[in-house]
Amino acid sequence: MPDFQAILEAIYQDTINVSDKGTIASYIPELAHIDKGNFGIHLRTSDGKSYGVGDYKKPFSTQSISKVLALSKAMALIGESTWERVGVEPSGHPFNQLALLEIEHGIPRNPLINSGAIVIADILVSNLKNPKEDFLKYVRELTGDVTISFNKDVAHSEKITGFKNYAAANLLKSFKNLNNLVEDVLDFYFHLCSLEMTCSQLSNAFYLFANNGKCLRNKLHINDKQVKRINALMLTCGFYDEAGEFAFEVGLPGKSGVGGGIVALLPDHFVITTWAPGLNKKGNSKLGMLALEQFTTKAKLSVF
Ligand code: GLU
């Protein structure tokens, strides 16, 4: 077994002083003031051990990362019929692109771009009794942590500035791929994106994808086939228009968010989460990508 704590510390020291730390996602006003100096890494191995460096205990906005948790809940609820309403191909375009949605008659390319996640949100609004509360309960159950919550200010900030998400939801509605009211679905979607978690809480939440569908507390939430599908989608679609680059550099399924978080995992081995809020041009955390490339190289552990 590699000395994981020593590896994380070496990566942290190496990466923290990089001068170009990227750019904060200021298009969500509530995120614009986050300090670019934040940087944390957390690793949870499948034998239950936990390692961390830097700001790994500080909560941040998970943003698109929570789309994976929403997808897992939708798949647990409606199974394979999920794929009647959303595709499984990378989009090759930014996460909020609308043209493709119009050309492809309201079927989003995959569930990890905004339009796809809005369809998943619609499925959850239809199938959960109290969507926001029930989804939060699911995340708290996965992590065993009742302190996890939405950030109402971030949700509100997205609500008043999320014009492209309104456009996507309306397009979906016009193609009859949204069953609930645009307002209700987007309210749920914005809350989903506003979920705040620390690196260690995220590693714990994603543990089921590295552990055949069983969460940290050994409860089965999704089956093997569903885990396989979700990991495949993270590998091919988890990094906006940079999934190829992430596979090339890091070699793990994962998901990033514009809050600067990245979660990546190796089935049966580990989940690793990084947080550094400065983003590169494609919207992925600059230091996070550097750190994860170093991690899989130093630990000699990747899917390839
Ligand atoms: N809430 C963000 C949006 O809808 C999510 C973006 C992201 O993290 O990719 O724009």
Side-chain angles (χ1 to χ4, degrees), residues 27 29-30 153-163 166 190:
Y27 80 98
E30 199 60 32
D153 295 335
V154 173
H156 180 71
S157 188
E158 290 206 54
K159 192 175 182 151
I160 57 175
T161 56
F163 306 113
Y166 278 95
F190 293 138

Side-chain angles (χ1 to χ4, degrees), residues 24-263:
I24 299 285
S26 55
Y27 80 98
I28 299 173
E30 199 60 32
L31 297 184
H33 60 270
I34 309 286
D35 179 3
K36 251 200 290 192
N38 285 295
F39 182 35
I41 313 175
H42 178 267
L43 176 77
R44 158 81 57 195
T45 52
S46 49
D47 57 4
K49 295 203 178 76
S50 166
Y51 308 86
V53 283
D55 299 311
Y56 73 99
K57 290 183 182 164
K58 255 195 199 177
F60 63 92
S61 196
T62 58
Q63 290 297 318
S64 273
I65 296 173
S66 41
K67 291 173 181 172
V68 182
L69 300 174
L71 173 64
S72 67
K73 187 69 194 170
M75 288 175 75
L77 288 165
I78 70 160
E80 290 294 294
S81 49
T82 309
W83 313 117
E84 290 162 16
R85 297 183 54 191
V86 60
V88 296
E89 294 295 340
S91 78
H93 289 284
F95 61 100
N96 56 4
Q97 220 239 21
L98 294 173
L100 208 58
L101 187 60
E102 168 109 66
I103 294 165
E104 297 184 343
H105 308 289
I107 303 293
R109 270 287 167 104
N110 68 66
L112 302 182
I113 51 174
N114 286 11
S115 54
I118 292 170
V119 168
I120 298 298
D122 186 51
I123 293 171
L124 294 179
V125 169
S126 294
N127 288 279
L128 295 173
K129 213 161 163 209
N130 301 299
K132 284 186 273 192
E133 292 78 358
D134 294 353
F135 181 74
L136 202 51
K137 202 169 143 215
Y138 172 59
V139 177
R140 288 174 173 176
E141 199 177 311
L142 289 181
T143 51
D145 192 331
V146 294
T147 64
I148 295 172
S149 279
F150 301 123
N151 180 325
K152 298 270 172 207
D153 295 335
V154 173
H156 180 71
S157 188
E158 290 206 54
K159 192 175 182 151
I160 57 175
T161 56
F163 306 113
K164 275 205 146 181
N165 287 322
Y166 278 95
N170 279 295
L171 256 183
L172 289 166
K173 190 85 182 161
S174 75
F175 283 109
K176 304 205 182 331
N177 197 8
L178 207 73
N179 296 329
N180 297 282
L181 295 174
V182 165
E183 279 301 332
D184 293 349
V185 177
L186 286 183
D187 180 58
F188 179 72
Y189 171 82
F190 293 138
H191 276 82
L192 183 73
C193 294
S194 82
L195 199 66
E196 281 196 338
M197 289 164 92
T198 65
C199 291
S200 57
Q201 287 168 336
L202 270 168
S203 299
N204 293 345
F206 273 60
Y207 186 78
L208 82 164
F209 306 122
N211 191 39
N212 306 303
K214 284 187 188 160
C215 72
L216 261 185
R217 290 181 302 162
N218 223 30
K219 181 177 167 192
L220 187 70
H221 294 270
I222 45 174
N223 64 35
D224 287 345
K225 186 170 164 184
Q226 292 168 330
V227 171
K228 184 177 75 174
R229 292 197 180 313
I230 292 171
N231 285 337
L233 283 164
M234 282 199 269
L235 187 76
T236 53
C237 312
F239 294 88
Y240 311 117
D241 193 15
E242 206 174 31
E245 179 75 13
F246 192 83
F248 184 77
E249 297 286 346
V250 180
L252 296 173
K255 182 74 195 93
S256 66
V258 296
I262 299 180
V263 187

